Amino acid sequence: MNNLTAKDLDVLSHILTGEEIACKKARVYARTLTDVSLAQEMERIAAAHAERFSALYTLIGGKK
């Protein structure tokens, strides 16, 4: 997908930042939660954000 405009890249950059922050926050929550099932769910959520980040990063031409 090499036909991305500057605006497309700007939007994707903002989305990447959001995914990165959400992933980091979910990991922090997972480490601080005392309820094991909630901590596991936060780890699952963090992994989902990390996957989306990776997919978007690859889309804009980043290396995996």
Side-chain angles (χ1 to χ4, degrees), residues 9-53:
L9 291 173
D10 187 50
V11 170
L12 285 170
S13 175
H14 286 287
I15 295 170
L16 280 168
T17 300
E19 289 294 342
E20 182 179 26
I21 291 169
C23 179
K24 287 179 180 179
K25 284 185 176 187
R27 287 206 171 113
V28 168
Y29 296 151
R31 286 193 302 267
T32 58
L33 286 166
T34 56
D35 183 310
V36 175
S37 64
L38 287 176
Q40 289 172 340
E41 182 64 13
M42 280 295 123
E43 279 296 336
R44 188 193 65 72
I45 290 169
H49 283 294
E51 286 178 29
R52 282 191 294 275
F53 179 92

